[in-house]
Amino acid sequence: ALFVFVLIRAWVVPFSHDECQSYTIFAEGSEQVNTANNHWLYTWLAKPLYQLFGESEFALRFPNLLIFALYLVYCFKWAIKFKNFEVQFLTVVLLTAFPFMLDFFSMMRGYGMSFSFALAALYHLVALAEDREDKKQVEKALYFSLLAVLANFTMLIFYCAVAGMVSILLLQQYK
């Protein structure tokens, strides 16, 4: 139901001012390419979609719809960490029932992507804390937090925090 809600919003809601500005960055070669309004990862994904499908708002918003699926996967991964069904249900509800956040998954902006990647990075950071021998969790936590930065530069502090926590967890292992 949530995916359908986001899908319908991506289809029927017209572009916002910020989306129009983002559109001009890759479609018209705007000088604003080096500003905070340019969400790099989204621009990289939207440019080939623009070349394939033209000015279709839905096509340009499609990357966030795919990333929303990733967000839902990690919502459920977080939920199954708990044994109690009521806590699992509440976890999914709390992570998905925030309409303001859901709006970002139906826009041509990097915010939805950054939410998804941050949720995934935190999941793998906690997995590393639970099993410090699993080095794949280090890679995944850093990879997803870096993708969050590429989706939205305001996530740079988040990346530093994740990298710092990974460093602390790995250093504690060698005490």
Side-chain angles (χ1 to χ4, degrees):
L2 287 172
F3 190 80
V4 172
F5 170 76
V6 172
L7 183 77
I8 291 170
R9 280 192 51 79
W11 186 264
V12 300
V13 174
F15 266 1
S16 68
H17 175 271
D18 283 350
E19 288 177 291
C20 290
Q21 194 170 14
S22 294
Y23 172 82
T24 63
I25 289 173
F26 64 82
E28 300 173 10
S30 169
E31 293 179 9
Q32 297 205 4
V33 71
N34 293 321
T35 66
N37 198 53
N38 184 9
H39 297 192
W40 287 89
L41 184 57
Y42 211 99
T43 299
W44 293 335
L45 294 172
K47 191 170 186 171
L49 290 172
Y50 169 71
Q51 292 167 342
L52 285 171
F53 301 106
E55 297 177 353
S56 166
E57 292 176 3
F58 182 76
L60 294 172
R61 290 173 169 166
F62 193 72
N64 256 339
L65 293 173
L66 292 178
I67 296 299
F68 184 57
L70 176 74
Y71 183 81
L72 291 174
V73 165
Y74 275 94
C75 286
F76 287 105
K77 286 181 98 149
W78 273 105
I80 61 175
K81 283 186 161 290
F82 302 104
K83 305 261 186 275
N84 183 295
F85 175 76
E86 289 82 13
V87 176
Q88 291 174 338
F89 179 77
L90 187 59
T91 299
V92 172
V93 168
L94 289 174
L95 289 172
T96 59
F98 186 43
F100 181 68
M101 182 198 62
L102 289 176
D103 287 349
F104 288 119
F105 288 106
S106 59
M107 297 179 73
M108 188 184 72
R109 305 288 287 151
Y111 303 113
M113 289 181 164
S114 67
F115 295 153
S116 294
F117 296 139
L119 186 65
L122 290 174
Y123 177 86
H124 293 291
L125 181 63
V126 169
L128 175 64
E130 293 170 347
D131 179 9
R132 295 183 192 177
E133 299 297 321
D134 189 356
K135 301 303 182 218
K136 288 187 178 191
Q137 300 302 333
V138 172
E139 295 169 10
K140 290 177 182 178
L142 293 175
Y143 172 74
F144 280 117
S145 58
L146 180 60
L147 285 173
V149 172
L150 291 174
N152 185 353
F153 280 137
T154 61
M155 297 299 282
L156 185 58
I157 294 169
F158 173 79
Y159 175 80
C160 292
V162 170
M165 286 302 300
V166 165
S167 299
I168 289 168
L169 290 170
L170 292 177
L171 286 172
Q172 285 179 341
Q173 183 179 353
Y174 296 109
K175 279 189 171 182

